[in-house]
Amino acid sequence: MPPDTAIEVSALRKHYGPTTAVDGLTFTVAPGKVTGFVGPNGAGKSTTLRMILGLDAPDSGKALIGGRPYATLRDPLTVVGALLDAEAVHPGRRAVDHLLWMAHYNGIPRRRVTEVLEQVGLTSVAKKRAGGFSLGMRQRLGIAAALLGDPQVLILDEPVNGLDPEGIQWIRGFLKSLAAEGRTVLISSHLMGELQDTAEHLLVIGRGRLLADTDVGELLATTSGNRITLRTARLPEAMTVLAREGATVSANAPGTLTVAGLPGERVVSLLTEAGIPFSEISAHRASLEEAYLELTRGATEFTADTAALETS
Amino acid sequence: MTGALHGEWTKLRTVPANLWTLLALPAVMTALTALIAAGTNPQEVSPDPTALALSGVYFAQLAAVAVAVAVVTSEYHPRLILLTLSASPRRTTVFTAKALTVTAAVLLAALPGVLGALLAGRSAQHGTHQLPLSDGSLQRAVLGTVLYLLLVALLSVGIALAVRHTAAATGTVLALLYGPYLATQLLNMSTHTLHLVQKFSPMTAGLAVQTTTGAGTAPLAPWTGLAVLAAYAAGALAVGWTLLQRRDA
């Protein structure tokens, strides 16, 4: 039987001075899939991850990995691999040495250093000093460090940050394959779009509170509702006709209408009867971005208009 | 603990700047001692030829401070401490591994440094009366100077753990070492005050261990003086350890 490798967080709370960073978080991250941890900047994601890793002490509540606090793990790098800050490398140390000291700390054999460098595609720069690395390369080095102990649990804070498009493609596939092997994979991001096609499950937080703990498919279905989109050159007439029949109509792009509250056949017949030409009628599919905006509305720490007030 | 020691040692030796600084310690100590000793007038009898032969320590200790501070503050800018404490959540283990690593590294540099200075200093003071190498007080001065460098390094580790910033840590250590000494040079003070400052300042008190001529001006017995420095180092380490335990990474 595989070891229990779920991450359990219960009633976790943390404040810094007058600011409450994490306000009673409770969730479980299951093994075998990629779980996305999303929220606006300042929502408390990194603080939560640091508390899971025993780096910051919570005011109350607890965080367990496989039923145990991180601080009680023996050779923790072989149980949990984490990337918290890609900049956390000494600029004067070679990439291979950066991994070597970590390996020594937990009695991990030296050959793992070679293997993970190979896995993240840094073999050719292994003997170069990390000070000359681009953010993308540091990100890869950070991921290599997380993989060093071949851990069953991976916790990556903003792993996509700074990667080039090829790197983004690579990490998506890579994380999915790690989850498919039965590992627990938790990745955070402040951009929901980054998690589209990668995460199966989502934990959405805002201002330190859990806003949603949901399956990606379910979330999309809820946000999409029973809506229909279509294109027409005669927007105002089409809106009048449809609204008269009780539909909620919105024009969110030039020449494009989103209709809620009427079945597709009814929309087609109403527009045909009124002699309004239209095309590209389809069921509306919300993007994760939309779903996220809906969830985090009002939970954003810094919004555009408060920023404007501060600069005026 | 073995893993943490292995890890910390690897960290220290894989940053070239650390190696250069450690190499500088014996080089500076020997060269400076030779210069100072050669500059003294052979006609004048030096009050303590052995202490003079080890005087390069006043400058060489900077290397010990620099390495000790770097071993700690390199964890904080950037925040490597996140990785270190992920690899070893038991913070006392990390603390002990760092202190032992610094002790070992400074010992490796201090041994050739102190011996080299002694030999260079003695040959530069040709013509003056020297204690034989078998003399007990000379041997105490040599061993004491090595211990002095180790204690200065440990004092630096403690202070660096508390302030977590290279410039602030180096500044604090240097102020503690040279500050009282400079004050005694610049300010007009009574003999009583002077002795009080000398007794309680870590550098002057610690280097009392170098006196081999009973008539020396040091107000403290050699080992007592070193004990004063040891107390400073222990205090700094205790503060550093406590803060490492209490603070978020």
Side-chain angles (χ1 to χ4, degrees), chain A residues 14 16 50 54-57 70-73 76-77 85 87-90 92-93 97-98 101-102 104-106 129, chain B residues 3-4 6-8 10-11 13-16 74 78-80 82-91 94 248-249:
Chain A
K14 174 83 179 174
Y16 297 104
R50 282 202 305 274
L55 296 166
D56 285 14
Y70 186 90
T72 67
L73 297 175
L77 300 183
D85 180 3
E87 299 292 337
V89 285
H90 192 294
R93 200 175 273 131
D97 294 328
H98 175 72
W101 75 254
M102 293 185 72
H104 286 332
Y105 241 103
N106 278 197
R129 303 199 185 286
Chain B
H6 198 179
E8 285 302 325
T10 310
K11 263 190 209 170
R13 71 167 178 80
T14 53
V15 172
S74 65
R79 301 222 302 153
L80 271 164
L82 298 175
L83 297 176
T84 304
L85 293 181
S86 303
S88 173
R90 289 171 190 82
R91 297 186 180 189
V94 173
D248 287 333

Side-chain angles (χ1 to χ4, degrees), chain A:
Chain A
M1 205 181 93
D4 174 25
T5 54
I7 303 170
E8 294 161 81
V9 166
S10 54
L12 208 57
R13 221 174 277 277
K14 174 83 179 174
H15 72 91
Y16 297 104
T19 319
T20 302
V22 174
D23 193 4
L25 272 187
T26 300
F27 60 79
T28 301
V29 182
K33 57 186 165 190
V34 177
T35 300
F37 192 34
V38 230
N41 283 323
K45 301 184 297 292
S46 298
T47 306
T48 306
L49 298 184
R50 282 202 305 274
M51 288 193 283
I52 294 174
L53 295 165
L55 296 166
D56 285 14
D59 296 340
S60 62
K62 56 185 175 178
L64 302 175
I65 290 170
R68 300 174 58 184
Y70 186 90
T72 67
L73 297 175
R74 205 182 152 71
D75 292 333
L77 300 183
T78 62
V79 182
V80 184
L83 164 65
L84 290 186
D85 180 3
E87 299 292 337
V89 285
H90 192 294
R93 200 175 273 131
R94 303 181 306 171
V96 62
D97 294 328
H98 175 72
L99 296 173
L100 194 60
W101 75 254
M102 293 185 72
H104 286 332
Y105 241 103
N106 278 197
I108 297 163
R110 182 184 275 265
R111 64 170 167 78
R112 280 296 296 161
V113 171
T114 320
E115 284 170 14
V116 294
L117 281 168
E118 179 86 46
Q119 261 181 303
V120 302
L122 288 182
T123 307
S124 61
V125 292
K127 300 206 166 154
K128 293 263 195 304
R129 303 199 185 286
F133 281 18
S134 67
L135 177 56
M137 287 158 88
R138 285 171 203 223
Q139 203 69 264
R140 284 172 188 258
L141 184 57
I143 293 165
L147 295 170
L148 199 56
D150 195 18
Q152 280 300 308
V153 181
L154 279 156
I155 296 176
L156 311 176
D157 196 6
E158 305 268 358
V160 180
N161 234 352
L163 288 180
D164 51 24
E166 184 265 324
I168 295 174
Q169 282 289 351
W170 164 76
I171 193 157
R172 283 183 175 160
F174 189 57
L175 292 175
K176 281 200 267 193
S177 72
L178 290 169
E181 291 166 15
R183 297 180 213 246
T184 309
V185 182
L186 178 63
I187 53 173
S188 82
S189 177
H190 64 286
L191 298 172
M192 186 68 115
E194 283 182 356
L195 298 174
Q196 195 141 21
D197 311 322
T198 312
E200 273 181 68
H201 197 84
L202 285 177
L203 299 165
V204 184
I205 70 166
R207 297 198 175 179
R209 295 208 180 120
L210 195 66
L211 300 175
D213 181 345
T214 172
D215 207 69
V216 171
E218 269 171 40
L219 178 64
L220 287 178
T222 328
T223 316
S224 306
N226 290 315
R227 287 187 282 178
I228 290 158
T229 57
L230 59 88
R231 292 181 64 82
T232 172
R234 288 157 65 181
L235 274 184
E237 290 166 65
M239 287 175 88
T240 318
V241 168
L242 295 171
R244 205 164 44 215
E245 293 298 313
T248 313
V249 193
S250 60
N252 29 20
T256 306
L257 274 186
T258 304
V259 189
L262 277 183
E265 305 82 54
R266 201 67 189 107
V267 173
V268 171
S269 62
L270 281 170
L271 291 178
T272 315
E273 277 165 28
I276 300 167
F278 61 94
S279 64
E280 295 179 37
I281 182 161
S282 62
H284 176 75
R285 257 186 64 85
S287 68
L288 268 184
E289 207 70 62
E290 275 178 73
Y292 170 64
L293 283 175
E294 210 143 287
L295 278 168
T296 56
R297 190 168 297 147
T300 323
E301 181 109 358
F302 309 102
T303 56
D305 37 12
T306 59
L309 275 177
E310 275 160 16
T311 52
S312 65

Side-chain angles (χ1 to χ4, degrees), chain B residues 65-223:
Chain B
V65 173
V67 167
V69 166
V71 161
V72 174
T73 58
S74 65
E75 295 280 348
Y76 293 98
H77 305 280
R79 301 222 302 153
L80 271 164
I81 192 72
L82 298 175
L83 297 176
T84 304
L85 293 181
S86 303
S88 173
R90 289 171 190 82
R91 297 186 180 189
T92 303
T93 305
V94 173
F95 169 84
T96 314
K98 280 201 179 292
L100 288 177
T101 302
V102 166
T103 306
V106 173
L107 183 64
L108 282 178
L111 279 175
V114 171
L115 293 176
L118 181 73
L119 298 178
R122 283 166 74 92
S123 60
Q125 297 177 79
H126 42 74
T128 48
H129 172 71
Q130 305 273 346
L131 290 172
L133 288 177
S134 60
D135 183 84
S137 60
L138 178 137
Q139 291 176 356
R140 186 246 303 132
V142 169
L143 174 68
T145 306
V146 173
L147 292 176
Y148 172 86
L149 286 167
L150 295 182
L151 289 171
V152 163
L154 289 174
L155 171 73
S156 310
V157 167
I159 288 175
L161 277 170
V163 304
R164 303 194 284 191
H165 188 278
T166 312
T170 314
T172 309
V173 177
L174 295 188
L176 208 53
L177 293 178
Y178 295 110
Y181 174 75
L182 289 177
T184 60
Q185 299 291 309
L186 298 172
L187 304 176
N188 222 338
M189 47 178 79
S190 67
T191 315
H192 175 74
T193 321
L194 175 72
H195 281 188
L196 208 62
V197 173
Q198 287 177 337
K199 275 184 197 170
F200 288 103
S201 74
M203 183 174 83
T204 323
L207 286 176
V209 83
Q210 289 187 336
T211 34
T212 56
T213 51
T217 53
L220 284 175
W223 289 122

